[in-house]
Amino acid sequence: MLNNFSEIIQQQFEEDQFEVRLKLNSDHELYKGHFPDQKVTPAVVMIHLFKQIAEDFSAEELQLEEASNLKFLNVLDPDQENVLICIGSIEKQENKYVLKAVAKTSLKVIAKVKLIFTTFVDH
């Protein structure tokens, strides 16, 4: 469903720190339903983008275990600003990855999150 939703335009990992810049596709099918007259990037999609960052960092398939701190501070409308900058850290703790990050545009902070992922186990 999120094919062609975003494109990585810059990705930098240094030890446990990261900065990833994503260009959002404002013509993506998702925005036609959320919402046609005022596009809004859903919070669940931003969490998915952070999951992708954690998977790129860890080179493992991960699943969200806990979202202990989620603060969505502003609306992200891809017609107004289509570059999302994600900055933060990822710490490995046994089979878990703790991601603490901020998502922002050049003008405003969109979200602050703390997410805990575990390595994916298929049952």
Side-chain angles (χ1 to χ4, degrees):
M1 175 171 165
L2 289 179
N3 291 343
N4 299 324
F5 180 79
S6 65
E7 171 189 350
I8 295 172
I9 54 177
Q10 180 186 357
Q11 181 169 276
Q12 190 172 21
F13 295 112
E14 290 185 24
E15 295 183 21
D16 65 343
Q17 304 294 308
F18 67 86
E19 180 174 331
V20 177
R21 292 174 184 260
L22 302 163
K23 183 176 180 182
L24 304 178
N25 176 4
S26 66
D27 294 325
H28 192 273
E29 189 70 23
L30 182 133
Y31 289 119
K32 292 178 182 163
H34 207 270
F35 297 97
D37 296 329
Q38 174 64 49
K39 295 177 185 176
V40 174
T41 304
V44 69
V45 171
M46 286 199 278
I47 291 170
H48 181 76
L49 295 173
F50 281 119
K51 177 180 177 271
Q52 288 179 322
I53 291 169
E55 287 179 335
D56 288 350
F57 175 86
S58 68
E60 296 187 64
E61 189 174 355
L62 302 175
Q63 61 187 13
L64 181 64
E65 179 179 281
E66 182 180 335
S68 61
N69 188 14
L70 298 173
K71 294 180 183 175
F72 294 93
L73 306 168
N74 286 292
V75 171
L76 177 56
D77 178 344
D79 284 335
Q80 293 179 10
E81 290 241 40
N82 70 345
V83 175
L84 184 64
I85 305 161
C86 300
I87 300 171
S89 65
I90 301 176
E91 180 183 339
K92 183 169 185 182
Q93 300 174 351
E94 296 177 18
N95 69 330
K96 299 179 188 224
Y97 291 89
V98 179
L99 179 144
K100 296 177 185 175
V102 172
K104 63 182 188 170
T105 66
S106 64
L107 299 175
K108 58 190 172 187
V109 173
I110 304 299
K112 296 179 180 182
V113 300
K114 178 181 177 189
L115 305 169
I116 300 173
F117 299 97
T118 58
T119 53
F120 185 78
V121 178
D122 191 13
H123 294 285

